[in-house]
C-alpha cells in the first residue's frame, strides 16, 4: 500500500478561520483493515480540529502500542507525535504536559493498552486530572495479535474463533467516573454526528477528558455473537441526548420542559435540536452518571453521549500551582532567583 497522498488540492476547497482546508489536518494513508472503526475515529478528530480552527503545530499526539496506537500517523500530520511503550502513554503525556502546558494533548489508546497492561497508568492519569483528551478505541479484542478477547470483552460474547468469553468486562467509562475523571463520554465510531461534537467539547474541557469509543474490529470481532460488532452496537445503542457543541458566544436562551425537545437557532443561523434530560439524570452528578450506566448495562443497552462533566476541579497544573509559562520556555533569569533569594530560601529551612 502506498503511504503517499496526492498533493493537489482544489483551490475552492472550504477553509476554516485560520485559512486551512481539511487537508491540512489529515495524516498518512491508513494501513489498518478496510472498514476499521479506528479510521472513522481518526476522521472525526480531523473534522473536530478543522472546525475548531486548531493550529496543528499546537497539538501533541501520544500513543502506546496496538492498532489504535498506530492511528496518530493518520491524522494531524503537521502536529507533534510520540509513540510510546505499551501501556505507558499516560506517563509520557504527563511529562510532556509538565514541560509544555500550552499544547493540546491527544492521548490515543486501546482497550488492551488501557484496560490491561496500562491499567495502573490509566488510573493515575485520571487521579491527577491531567489536561488532555484521552481516547480509547475499544473493540473488545487484541486486533494486532489475531483477535484474542481483551479485558473489555463482554461476558458471554463470542469471538470469531467461536469461543465464549467467561469473564466480566471492565467498564472503562464507569471506572473513569468512579476514579474522578472530570469529563467522561462514550460513543460509537459509526456515529460521526455524535462523536465530532464530543471531541470538540473534550478539547475545550480544562482537565482530563475521557472518551470511550466502541470501534468494531472488522477482521476479528465483527461476527454474530460479538457485542462490539457494527450490527450489535447499532441495535443496542441508546444516546443520552442529541449533542452539538457551541463555541463561546453571546448567550442563547431556551425554555422547555424536562423530557421534551426543541429546535434552537445558533449564531451562524444553523439549527440545533435540544433534548432535555429527564429529572432522574444529571451529567454533573457522579452517582447519577454511574447509575445511568449500570441501568443501561442491565438492559443490554450501550449508553452513549456525554455521561459526566465537572468543570470545577483543577487540572494537574492548577493543583501543583506551576509557573504561568511553559517550563520549556524558561530562561536563566526565570530559573535562577538570584543570590539574595536563594539565601532567604535556605534560611527558611534552618
Amino acid at each position: 500500500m502506498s503511504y503517499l497522498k496526492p498533493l493537489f488540492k482544489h483551490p475552492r476547497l472550504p477553509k476554516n478561520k485560520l485559512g486551512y482546508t481539511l487537508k491540512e489536518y489529515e495524516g498518512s494513508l491508513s494501513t489498518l483493515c478496510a472498514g476499521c472503526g479506528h479510521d472513522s475515529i481518526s476522521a472525526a478528530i480531523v473534522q473536530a480540529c478543522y472546525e475548531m480552527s486548531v493550529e496543528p503545530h499546537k497539538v501533541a499526539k501520544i500513543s502506546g502500542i496496538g492498532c489504535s496506537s498506530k492511528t496518530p500517523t493518520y491524522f494531524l500530520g503537521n502536529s507533534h507525535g510520540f509513540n510510546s511503550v505499551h501501556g505507558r502513554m499516560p506517563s509520557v503525556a504527563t511529562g510532556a504536559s509538565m514541560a509544555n502546558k500550552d499544547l493540546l494533548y491527544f492521548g490515543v489508546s486501546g482497550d488492551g493498552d488501557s484496560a490491561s497492561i496500562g491499567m495502573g497508568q490509566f488510573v493515575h492519569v485520571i487521579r491527577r486530572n491531567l489536561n488532555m483528551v484521552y481516547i480509547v478505541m475499544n473493540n473488545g479484542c487484541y486486533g494486532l495479535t489475531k483477535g484474542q478477547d481483551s479485558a473489555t470483552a463482554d461476558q458471554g460474547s463470542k469471538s470469531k474463533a467461536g469461543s465464549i468469553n467467561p469473564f466480566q468486562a471492565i467498564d472503562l467509562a464507569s471506572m473513569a467516573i468512579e476514579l474522578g475523571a472530570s469529563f467522561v463520554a462514550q460513543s460509537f465510531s459509526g456515529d460521526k454526528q455524535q462523536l465530532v461534537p464530543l471531541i470538540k467539547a473534550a478539547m475545550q474541557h480544562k482537565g482530563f477528558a475521557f472518551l470511550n469509543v466502541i470501534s468494531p474490529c472488522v477482521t476479528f470481532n465483527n461476527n454474530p455473537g460479538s457485542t462490539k460488532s457494527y450490527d450489535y452496537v447499532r441495535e443496542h445503542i441508546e444516546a443520552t441526548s442529541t449533542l452539538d457543541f457551541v463555541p463561546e458566544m453571546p448567550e442563547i436562551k431556551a425554555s422547555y420542559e424536562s423530557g421534551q425537545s426543541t429546535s434552537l437557532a445558533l449564531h451562524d443561523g444553523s439549527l440545533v435540536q435540544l433534548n432535555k434530560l429527564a429529572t432522574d439524570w444529571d451529567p454533573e452528578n457522579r452517582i447519577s452518571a454511574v447509575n445511568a450506566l449500570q441501568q443501561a448495562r442491565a438492559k443490554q443497552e450501550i449508553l452513549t453521549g456525554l455521561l459526566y462533566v465537572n468543570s470545577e476541579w483543577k487540572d494537574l497544573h492548577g493543583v501543583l500551582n506551576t509557573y504561568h509559562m511553559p517550563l520549556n520556555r524558561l530562561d536563566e533569569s526565570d530559573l535562577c532567583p538570584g543570590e539574595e533569594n536563594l539565601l532567604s530560601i535556605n534560611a527558611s529551612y534552618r
Side-chain angles (χ1 to χ4, degrees), residues 174-253:
S174 292
M175 176 176 287
I177 296 172
E178 290 278 4
L179 291 169
S182 52
F183 180 109
V184 179
Q186 193 156 264
S187 193
F188 171 47
S189 64
D191 189 355
K192 189 176 181 180
Q193 188 175 357
Q194 181 193 69
L195 182 55
V196 171
L198 285 174
I199 294 173
K200 288 180 181 179
M203 289 160 57
Q204 288 290 99
H205 179 73
K206 186 74 171 175
F208 186 81
F210 175 66
L211 278 79
N212 182 48
V213 186
I214 298 169
S215 178
C217 175
V218 290
T219 302
F220 296 112
N221 208 14
N222 198 36
N223 51 282
S226 167
T227 59
K228 296 286 193 292
S229 67
Y230 279 109
D231 287 342
Y232 185 90
V233 176
R234 287 190 178 114
E235 290 170 4
H236 294 81
I237 198 166
E238 181 68 26
T240 59
S241 59
T242 303
L243 297 171
D244 203 352
F245 178 78
V246 183
E248 190 173 341
M249 295 285 280
E251 185 178 9
I252 297 175
K253 296 183 179 180

Side-chain angles (χ1 to χ4, degrees), residues 20-339:
Y20 295 153
T21 66
L22 198 66
K23 192 173 185 64
E24 269 78 42
Y25 294 88
E26 295 176 348
S28 302
L29 281 175
S30 173
T31 60
L32 298 175
C33 304
C36 178
H38 294 4
D39 284 332
S40 297
I41 300 172
S42 295
I45 295 172
V46 167
Q47 189 70 33
C49 290
Y50 165 74
E51 293 180 5
M52 293 289 286
S53 295
V54 172
E55 290 274 15
H57 69 277
K58 293 183 178 178
V59 175
K61 310 166 297 184
I62 318 290
S63 63
I65 298 294
C67 290
S68 58
S69 293
K70 293 171 64 178
T71 62
T73 306
Y74 313 139
F75 63 85
L76 296 175
N78 295 316
S79 62
H80 307 278
F82 193 97
N83 187 224
S84 70
V85 182
H86 200 9
R88 272 64 178 179
M89 174 267 286
S91 290
V92 177
T94 302
S97 176
M98 295 310 295
N100 188 355
K101 61 182 178 181
D102 280 358
L103 295 179
L104 169 62
Y105 289 90
F106 273 97
V108 182
S109 187
D111 37 304
D113 198 52
S114 284
S116 291
I117 191 170
M119 175 61 79
Q121 299 243 334
F122 177 69
V123 168
H124 288 287
V125 75
I126 293 175
R127 173 172 163 260
R128 296 186 181 112
N129 199 24
L130 184 66
N131 188 23
M132 70 179 299
V133 179
Y134 191 113
I135 297 177
V136 168
M137 300 180 180
N138 189 344
N139 57 22
C141 73
Y142 297 131
L144 206 60
T145 56
K146 304 299 181 284
Q148 304 93 326
D149 287 334
S150 78
T152 65
D154 292 312
Q155 188 175 32
S157 64
K158 183 187 288 187
S159 70
K160 185 178 180 180
S163 60
I164 305 297
N165 177 36
F167 304 112
Q168 292 188 51
I170 290 177
D171 186 338
L172 288 173
S174 292
M175 176 176 287
I177 296 172
E178 290 278 4
L179 291 169
S182 52
F183 180 109
V184 179
Q186 193 156 264
S187 193
F188 171 47
S189 64
D191 189 355
K192 189 176 181 180
Q193 188 175 357
Q194 181 193 69
L195 182 55
V196 171
L198 285 174
I199 294 173
K200 288 180 181 179
M203 289 160 57
Q204 288 290 99
H205 179 73
K206 186 74 171 175
F208 186 81
F210 175 66
L211 278 79
N212 182 48
V213 186
I214 298 169
S215 178
C217 175
V218 290
T219 302
F220 296 112
N221 208 14
N222 198 36
N223 51 282
S226 167
T227 59
K228 296 286 193 292
S229 67
Y230 279 109
D231 287 342
Y232 185 90
V233 176
R234 287 190 178 114
E235 290 170 4
H236 294 81
I237 198 166
E238 181 68 26
T240 59
S241 59
T242 303
L243 297 171
D244 203 352
F245 178 78
V246 183
E248 190 173 341
M249 295 285 280
E251 185 178 9
I252 297 175
K253 296 183 179 180
S255 178
Y256 58 105
E257 297 299 318
S258 298
Q260 302 298 311
S261 63
T262 187
S263 291
L264 197 64
L266 302 181
H267 294 284
D268 62 359
S270 61
L271 294 176
V272 61
Q273 183 73 19
L274 300 176
N275 293 306
K276 186 169 288 189
L277 301 172
T279 53
D280 60 347
W281 165 254
D282 180 6
E284 293 185 335
N285 184 299
R286 290 172 71 185
I287 296 173
S288 174
V290 170
N291 286 343
L293 275 169
Q294 296 304 321
Q295 289 166 10
R297 190 172 180 179
K299 292 185 287 185
Q300 293 189 318
E301 293 176 347
I302 299 168
L303 194 63
T304 64
L306 179 58
L307 305 176
Y308 175 72
V309 63
N310 185 317
S311 57
E312 302 299 321
W313 290 343
K314 293 180 180 179
D315 75 333
L316 181 58
H317 282 280
V319 171
L320 298 180
N321 194 26
T322 58
Y323 197 62
H324 65 89
M325 281 177 60
L327 300 184
N328 68 343
R329 294 216 299 268
L330 300 183
D331 56 24
E332 186 180 353
S333 62
D334 296 303
L335 295 171
C336 183
E339 185 179 0

